Amino acid sequence: MVKRVMYLMLILLGVVTEAKPSIYVAKEMRPLYDRDLFLYELLDLSLKAADYPVDIQHVKVHPHQQRTLLALSKGEVDLHWSMSSPAREKLAIAVKFPLFDGLIGKRALLVHRAQLARFEAVKDKAALAKLVAVQGHDWPDTKILAANGLKVRPIVNYQAMFDLILAQKADYFPRSVIEVDSELAAQSAADLVKLPGIYLSYPAHFYFFVNKQQPQLAEKLALGLSRLKESGEYQRLLARYFDLSFLSTARPIYLDNPFFHTD
C-alpha cells in the first residue's frame, strides 16, 4: 500500500517516465571510418530533432551488405544504412533522404603508385574500359560499372581488394570521396595512392533502411533529417567530417546508373 502511494506521488510529480523504446542498429564487424562516425552522429541528431527518444542497441552483423539487408527484412535488426538499389528497397523501408548528399557516387580511384604514369593516359570511359577494377561482389556499384562497359572483378573480402591493388593484380579500386581518405590512412601502405587527376561520377543515393515492422521509426527519421537540413545543421555536419577539395582539382568521368531512381 505504501509503495503504491509513493508511486502515485512520483507520477503526479512527473518523476516516473516511460522507458525509452529500444532500436537495434546493425554494426559491421570492421574498423569504423569517418563515414560511419558521421552516420552514427547523424542518426542521433535526427532522432533528437524529431523528438523521438530511443535507446540505441548495436547488433554485430556480417560485413556483406546484402546479408545485412536480409537481416533487416527478417526483423533481426531495425536499422542500417546502405547505397540504394531497387532490390534493396524491396527488403526494407528506405528513408528517402540522401545521407551523403549524392557524394557516394563520386568515386576516387585507388591505384598502385607504380601505375600512376599509366593512368596519365586515361581521360575517358573508353580508356578506363581497358583496365580492371575491383569491387565488392554484392555492391550496387559492381553492376553500375559493368553496365557502363567497365571490367569489374567482384571480390567477397573487403581487405582483399586493397591487397589486389598493392599486388598489382588489379588496376584500380573506386572508393567514394567520403570513404577514401579514411581508408588510405587505415591501410598505411605507401604504394597505395589516390589517383589525383580523375574520379568517377554517377547518380547514387545512400539511405537509412528500416525494418518494415518499424514504420514509425522511418517516419521519425524522415522528419528529423528534414529538420536538420532546414536548420543548416546537416550541411555543417557534412562539412565537419569530409574534405571535398579533391573534387575541385580532379576531372569527372561520368557514368550512367541504370538502377538509379528518385521516386
Side-chain angles (χ1 to χ4, degrees):
M1 181 64 181
V2 174
K3 288 183 178 179
R4 184 181 301 174
V5 171
M6 290 179 64
Y7 185 73
L8 290 171
M9 290 178 63
L10 289 172
I11 291 177
L12 291 172
L13 292 171
V15 176
V16 175
T17 58
E18 292 185 8
K20 293 187 292 185
S22 294
I23 64 169
Y24 297 90
V25 179
K27 184 176 182 180
E28 295 179 21
M29 294 181 286
R30 59 167 177 77
L32 297 181
Y33 299 117
D34 286 347
R35 185 197 82 165
D36 307 292
L37 300 177
F38 167 83
L39 290 172
Y40 282 121
E41 187 168 352
L42 182 61
L43 172 62
D44 182 60
L45 290 173
S46 300
L47 293 171
K48 288 178 179 176
D51 300 315
Y52 189 61
V54 298
D55 180 27
I56 296 176
Q57 302 287 333
H58 295 287
V59 179
K60 291 184 178 180
V61 295
H62 198 282
H64 292 172
Q65 295 179 10
Q66 196 66 18
R67 290 194 189 182
T68 302
L69 269 296
L70 288 172
L72 267 176
S73 70
K74 295 176 182 177
E76 296 171 7
V77 293
D78 294 319
L79 182 143
H80 194 44
W81 38 76
S82 168
M83 186 166 155
S84 185
S85 73
R88 291 181 175 191
E89 292 185 20
K90 292 178 181 178
L91 295 175
I93 302 171
V95 179
K96 297 294 186 72
F97 181 98
L99 298 177
F100 294 114
D101 202 22
L103 293 169
I104 199 70
K106 310 296 184 185
R107 298 264 158 173
L109 307 185
L110 289 182
V111 303
H112 193 286
R113 185 181 298 277
Q115 299 296 321
L116 285 173
R118 182 185 182 195
F119 273 90
E120 288 180 1
V122 176
K123 305 295 183 183
D124 53 26
K125 186 167 65 173
L128 200 61
K130 299 175 183 178
L131 306 174
V132 178
V134 288
Q135 291 282 267
H137 81 289
D138 61 344
W139 296 357
D141 312 273
T142 305
K143 292 182 178 180
I144 294 169
L145 268 61
N148 281 269
L150 302 181
K151 299 174 185 175
V152 191
R153 183 174 173 184
I155 304 295
V156 173
N157 184 274
Y158 169 74
Q159 180 59 42
M161 290 181 269
F162 297 99
D163 295 340
L164 285 168
I165 300 300
L166 285 168
Q168 300 187 64
K169 293 182 178 180
D171 298 309
Y172 65 101
F173 182 15
R175 303 302 295 136
S176 169
V177 293
I178 52 92
E179 301 166 319
V180 64
D181 292 329
S182 291
E183 291 178 333
L184 272 175
Q187 291 296 315
S188 189
D191 285 331
L192 189 66
V193 297
K194 178 170 63 175
L195 190 68
I198 58 175
Y199 65 92
L200 303 181
S201 179
Y202 47 84
H205 283 334
F206 201 96
Y207 294 143
F208 283 133
F209 282 85
V210 176
N211 174 357
K212 288 183 178 180
Q213 303 303 313
Q214 295 277 13
Q216 185 181 30
L217 173 59
E219 291 171 7
K220 294 296 185 181
L221 278 171
L223 174 63
L225 288 164
S226 176
R227 287 176 174 175
L228 290 178
K229 188 163 187 178
E230 288 174 5
S231 70
E233 192 168 359
Y234 165 75
Q235 291 83 353
R236 290 190 292 272
L237 184 68
L238 196 69
R240 175 156 59 85
Y241 269 92
F242 307 114
D243 177 7
L244 303 176
S245 58
F246 168 75
L247 295 177
S248 64
T249 60
R251 183 175 55 82
I253 293 178
Y254 293 105
L255 304 182
D256 296 322
N257 182 355
F259 312 103
F260 180 77
H261 59 88
T262 57
D263 58 346

